[in-house]
Amino acid sequence: MKLSGEHLREVSFPVGGIGAGCIGMSGDGRLWEWEIFNHAGKGLHNGNSHFAVRAESKSKVLDTRLLQGDLLTELSGERNNPHGFGWGPVAGLLATFPHFAKVELDARFPIAEYTFLDSHFPGQVRLRAYSPFIPGESDLASLPVAIFEVEIKNTSREEITFTCAGSLSNPWKVPGATNRFVRKQGISSLLLENHQKRGTPEFGELSISTDEPKVSYQEYWYRRDMWRDHLEVYWHDLTSAGPLPKRHFPPRTETVRFEDTGTLASRAAIAPGKTHVFRFVISWYLPERVNEFPTKEPERLAQAGLRDNTLHNYYARLCRGAVDAAKCVFSRFDSIRDGVRCFCDTLHASTLPAAALEGAAANLAVLVSPTVLRLDNGTIWGWEGVGATFGSCEGTCQHVWNYAQALPLLFPDLERTIRESHADYSLDEDGRWHFRLPLPLGVKSRKTDFRACVDGSFGEIMKIFREWKVSGDQGWLERMWPAVKRAIEFAWSPVNDDRWDPKRTGVLTGRQHHTLDMELFGPSGWLQGIYLGALKAASLMARACNDSPFAVLCEKVFAKGRAWTEKHLFNGEYYNQQVDIHSHDTLKPYTSLALGNIGIDTYWDAEHSQLKYQIADGCSIDSHLGQWFASLYGIGEVLDPAHVRSTLESIYRYNFFPNLREFANPWRTFCLNDEGGCVICTWPKGHEKPILPLPYNSETMTGFEWAAAVHMAMVGMTDQAVKLASAIRDRYDGAKRNPWNEIECGSNYARSMASFAMLQAFSGFRYDMTRGWLAFAPILPGDFRCFWSLGTIWGEYRREGNKHTLSILHGKATLCAFSIPGATSVRNGRHKLAATCQNGELRLARPLALQ
């Protein structure tokens, strides 16, 4: 995205590591949001931290500027600060120091490139900020670092010495906190430490490092005791020619009000017309974190063999401290830069419609946001999203993370840890698959912990199928198979007090918890489709695991359920829910069973004599979902294709509003005024709408919207898919909302990563690494190119006329077969390979190892 002017206002572009925290870069180039402290930090500044540049010639300073543009927000001060609003902008933002008059941002995740222009400065300046985000390299991508390159081109006619200075504030104002300069193995660092006890959540380090040969530094700015003395002296030092004067103070002996700041500066003489790149890494090290998950009873911790309720960040296995994290980057800086650039360029060169590609790429930012944790053993654990300072809805929630399609293709080893942890700890003694994974890891779910949800349990089974096909790992599938089998059997079990399908009819007739947070009573196309998808996936996995009797059973239940679904739940336009909302008898089987802390009478509206929170004959945005998952993962057909397309056409016809100005929405506001979006559920004319219908029915939540838009593209509704994608991204244009933070129940919401499947939709990319098979079938005419990935191997697919090229840009794999429309032969470079063509599939005579 190329942004400037007002469209920079809401930008916060995250740079950091997966599960390691991040720094949010503002639209004007500030180090804006510091989310490195093991919790969310929306709007959290870190003192006076910033970058600045200086030009000097013949011992005379020509110009000095902060590497940022005009401040665009909160000019009267912070409204959420009792001593902020009415006092002007926070002093640490340094908005009144000379900075650049014009800023342009070209941000393509994972790289944000700022161009700074000002007639007073004798150079063109670019700042590139990025994460070490290379698909398939999960440990590299998990480092607690943010990488910065400041590129200065001398636009004058004389040689100029340019200085690039990075200032970092010590966030800890506790006794003993220090700033100190460290130089080792060619790396210069300013290390900020709090000297708290190691092994506790209070311990922390923060550093800024460079590999430049000419370095000066100030461990401390002039120490601030009152007023703005530190800023007065800093500006004097920065605008004076030559190296920075050194300054050192002893550690504080008591907790203080003001933070200590230090500066690390590099100098380089640049000839006219030439360019120099200054390289910096900001890194952090806070290895222990407080467990924000609802606290477990001590006896459950003991039962799990756990001594405390503290969590440990995985990145502590990758580095020994903040400076060591930076050294991990500098030791292979060029290869990291080139790998990140290769991924970024390939992804963003994909010839998808602009909004589809933008959504697919932008929402990858969730992975480096505080939504994601990486625990000590490498397991990924996620919130649904985050609030300003806290996690929102815990447990790598199955039915939310169902939608997220990025991690399984970019870092499949990390995605598998989610499957493994849920299988190990979320299945209770009865086979009930709880949809929120408790922490600390090792605490097992119990049936008293709430219960299973339909879309979570059956979506988990379909995701296990996906991970098996992505990896081709038969041993892994066999490890996971007992959990799959138990979860399917629980649907039929007499101990399932929700009575999902006790007679093995293939139809969900019981009480069904789901991602919209309440219960459906009676079968719906939405949840029924996911159940059918799980049954079919289970039958295929059962055969692979030599469990033929169970495969046959699942096939029979699937066949009965599908036939019933098509006959009773498709109303001629879309899949609906079969329930009599006027009958209290629907609730009778459940009157003795509490719904968590919600009584069953919560579901009866006595005033209107109706059931609450049902779809009934409404058109639900998710009524296609089971087939969407099945199509993406290669499970196959679970619902009638004609009915699925009609359902998607109905969702577009009834639920998509190009302009929501006249639409009444009593729920949360994610779309308003003249913005457009696709709402969760509508009741077309002639279809009764319950007085108190499905929760969130009038909201526009992007994860649901992306799933619908992707599936529309997959069934040939390309125009509709693009219009819906454009409506979503128009809401996240930088002026109204942050393009790298699609919100739902909080910021950085995991469900938004449904958008990554746009790449699959438009390229027709499919995979089955159990037999080394890849397929492409672009849905757009003409020449086409698209990024593809299975994590361990990724690259680019191109169609140019009748020629199809598969480029391997990273990793390795062994391939045996390809399916590409019209392709009849295959070459590796100049060498034609022996292959046979059967049913549109090119099968190689012998496996081909590629890297």
Side-chain angles (χ1 to χ4, degrees), residues 647-689:
T647 295
L648 288 163
E649 289 172 342
S650 297
I651 290 169
Y652 186 80
R653 180 184 311 119
Y654 297 127
N655 297 34
F656 177 62
F657 293 83
N659 184 312
L660 279 152
R661 182 170 288 279
E662 300 302 318
F663 182 81
N665 171 24
W667 291 86
R668 294 170 298 187
T669 304
F670 304 127
C671 182
L672 74 168
N673 302 331
D674 294 329
E675 296 174 333
C678 195
V679 303
I680 296 298
C681 195
T682 60
W683 288 262
K685 187 176 181 180
H687 300 268
E688 182 181 12
K689 179 180 180 180

Side-chain angles (χ1 to χ4, degrees), residues 279-291:
R279 313 197 301 193
F280 289 89
V281 172
I282 295 179
S283 51
W284 51 93
Y285 190 75
L286 299 92
E288 315 297 327
R289 63 193 300 158
V290 174
N291 181 12

Side-chain angles (χ1 to χ4, degrees), residues 347-614:
L347 172 62
H348 291 275
S350 302
T351 51
L352 274 64
L357 179 58
E358 185 182 294
N363 288 315
L364 297 179
V366 173
L367 296 176
V368 299
S369 79
T371 294
V372 177
L373 285 65
R374 194 171 180 196
L375 306 175
D376 180 49
N377 70 346
T379 294
I380 290 292
W381 186 96
W383 303 100
E384 293 181 22
V386 293
T389 59
F390 56 88
S392 172
C393 304
E394 67 281 346
T396 331
C397 177
Q398 286 175 328
H399 51 210
V400 168
W401 282 79
N402 274 349
Y403 296 74
Q405 302 299 326
L407 196 65
L409 295 182
L410 296 175
F411 301 95
D413 57 327
L414 299 186
E415 184 72 27
R416 286 194 298 274
T417 68
I418 302 176
R419 303 287 82 74
E420 293 160 4
S421 57
H422 268 297
D424 289 343
Y425 305 116
S426 294
L427 274 165
D428 70 20
E429 55 268 40
D430 292 335
R432 185 180 290 103
W433 212 334
H434 296 258
F435 56 93
R436 299 194 188 278
L437 176 69
L439 287 181
L441 205 62
V443 174
K444 291 183 70 71
S445 294
R446 294 176 177 176
K447 61 183 179 181
T448 53
D449 285 345
F450 197 63
R451 62 182 184 284
C453 64
V454 168
D455 48 353
S457 294
F458 298 137
E460 193 72 17
I461 291 169
M462 297 171 83
K463 288 182 290 190
I464 289 172
F465 182 93
R466 176 188 64 196
E467 270 62 272
W468 171 45
K469 292 295 184 176
V470 167
S471 68
D473 189 336
Q474 179 66 22
W476 184 84
L477 175 64
E478 291 172 358
R479 180 201 159 184
M480 302 300 292
W481 173 243
V484 172
K485 189 171 182 178
R486 287 184 69 197
I488 290 287
E489 289 175 331
F490 180 74
W492 311 326
S493 172
V495 301
N496 182 345
D497 46 22
D498 287 325
R499 302 186 177 107
W500 287 348
D501 184 14
K503 297 181 179 180
R504 301 183 184 178
T505 63
V507 181
L508 293 169
T509 54
R511 176 180 65 185
Q512 302 147 63
H513 193 68
H514 54 74
T515 193
L516 297 176
D517 295 334
M518 297 301 277
E519 325 291 320
L520 291 188
F521 297 89
S524 68
W526 164 27
L527 299 179
Q528 182 68 13
I530 302 175
Y531 179 36
L532 293 175
L535 286 168
K536 187 164 187 176
S539 71
L540 295 169
M541 290 186 283
R543 292 203 179 277
C545 292
N546 297 315
D547 193 344
S548 295
F550 196 74
V552 171
L553 177 58
C554 288
E555 288 163 356
K556 289 181 178 178
V557 176
F558 168 82
K560 289 189 293 184
R562 176 173 175 175
W564 190 95
T565 298
E566 302 297 356
K567 181 177 180 179
H568 295 283
L569 293 181
F570 185 74
N571 68 2
E573 287 189 289
Y574 53 84
Y575 292 104
N576 61 8
Q577 180 195 10
Q578 188 179 88
V579 63
D580 182 358
I581 64 170
H582 301 286
S583 173
H584 189 274
D585 290 346
T586 302
L587 301 176
K588 283 185 177 179
Y590 312 102
T591 51
S592 62
L593 302 170
L595 296 163
N597 59 355
I598 301 173
I600 195 67
D601 287 339
T602 299
Y603 286 85
W604 183 249
D605 175 6
E607 179 177 333
H608 303 103
S609 297
Q610 280 189 2
L611 285 178
K612 297 180 186 177
Y613 314 133
Q614 306 302 296

Side-chain angles (χ1 to χ4, degrees), residues 502-828:
K503 297 181 179 180
R504 301 183 184 178
T505 63
V507 181
L508 293 169
T509 54
R511 176 180 65 185
Q512 302 147 63
H513 193 68
H514 54 74
T515 193
L516 297 176
D517 295 334
M518 297 301 277
E519 325 291 320
L520 291 188
F521 297 89
S524 68
W526 164 27
L527 299 179
Q528 182 68 13
I530 302 175
Y531 179 36
L532 293 175
L535 286 168
K536 187 164 187 176
S539 71
L540 295 169
M541 290 186 283
R543 292 203 179 277
C545 292
N546 297 315
D547 193 344
S548 295
F550 196 74
V552 171
L553 177 58
C554 288
E555 288 163 356
K556 289 181 178 178
V557 176
F558 168 82
K560 289 189 293 184
R562 176 173 175 175
W564 190 95
T565 298
E566 302 297 356
K567 181 177 180 179
H568 295 283
L569 293 181
F570 185 74
N571 68 2
E573 287 189 289
Y574 53 84
Y575 292 104
N576 61 8
Q577 180 195 10
Q578 188 179 88
V579 63
D580 182 358
I581 64 170
H582 301 286
S583 173
H584 189 274
D585 290 346
T586 302
L587 301 176
K588 283 185 177 179
Y590 312 102
T591 51
S592 62
L593 302 170
L595 296 163
N597 59 355
I598 301 173
I600 195 67
D601 287 339
T602 299
Y603 286 85
W604 183 249
D605 175 6
E607 179 177 333
H608 303 103
S609 297
Q610 280 189 2
L611 285 178
K612 297 180 186 177
Y613 314 133
Q614 306 302 296
I615 296 172
D617 206 20
C619 181
S620 163
I621 193 172
D622 267 353
S623 50
H624 68 100
L625 201 64
Q627 184 59 64
W628 184 57
F629 293 145
S631 296
L632 282 177
Y633 308 158
I635 295 168
E637 187 180 295
V638 299
L639 295 171
D640 185 300
H643 290 176
V644 171
R645 169 146 184 158
S646 178
T647 295
L648 288 163
E649 289 172 342
S650 297
I651 290 169
Y652 186 80
R653 180 184 311 119
Y654 297 127
N655 297 34
F656 177 62
F657 293 83
N659 184 312
L660 279 152
R661 182 170 288 279
E662 300 302 318
F663 182 81
N665 171 24
W667 291 86
R668 294 170 298 187
T669 304
F670 304 127
C671 182
L672 74 168
N673 302 331
D674 294 329
E675 296 174 333
C678 195
V679 303
I680 296 298
C681 195
T682 60
W683 288 262
K685 187 176 181 180
H687 300 268
E688 182 181 12
K689 179 180 180 180
I691 301 297
L692 293 170
L694 190 72
Y696 317 126
N697 65 90
S698 52
E699 292 184 0
T700 52
M701 294 186 272
T702 68
F704 297 89
E705 293 176 285
W706 282 118
V710 170
H711 206 179
M712 288 174 191
M714 292 169 69
V715 302
M717 297 170 59
T718 310
D719 291 344
Q720 296 93 325
V722 172
K723 287 179 182 177
L724 177 48
S726 298
I728 297 168
R729 293 308 295 174
D730 284 346
R731 307 197 308 252
Y732 291 87
D733 65 351
K736 296 188 288 287
R737 299 173 189 84
N738 180 11
W740 293 275
N741 180 12
E742 291 188 6
I743 61 176
E744 189 183 312
C745 187
S747 289
N748 313 120
Y749 204 78
R751 199 186 328 250
S752 68
M753 289 186 287
S755 60
F756 193 73
M758 277 293 185
L759 295 167
Q760 279 185 265
F762 279 91
S763 67
F765 174 53
R766 291 170 290 158
Y767 49 84
D768 182 355
M769 294 306 287
T770 65
R771 60 191 189 95
W773 174 78
L774 297 182
F776 294 88
I779 63 175
L780 298 176
D783 291 352
F784 179 82
R785 61 193 293 189
C786 189
F787 170 83
W788 62 272
S789 175
L790 292 173
T792 53
I793 185 171
W794 55 264
E796 182 180 58
Y797 162 80
R798 290 195 188 202
R799 180 183 63 195
E800 298 166 294
N802 294 323
K803 180 182 178 182
H804 305 264
T805 304
L806 194 62
S807 299
I808 311 302
L809 300 176
H810 194 88
K812 59 184 179 180
T814 298
L815 302 178
C816 302
F818 305 90
S819 293
I820 298 174
T824 57
S825 63
V826 58
R827 293 177 179 272
N828 181 19

Side-chain angles (χ1 to χ4, degrees), residues 16-34:
I18 296 175
C22 63
I23 300 170
M25 299 291 295
S26 71
D28 56 12
R30 287 176 170 81
L31 305 175
W32 184 249
E33 293 181 325
W34 290 74

Side-chain angles (χ1 to χ4, degrees), residues 8-27:
L8 299 173
R9 179 187 296 114
E10 295 298 321
V11 167
S12 180
F13 185 97
V15 284
I18 296 175
C22 63
I23 300 170
M25 299 291 295
S26 71

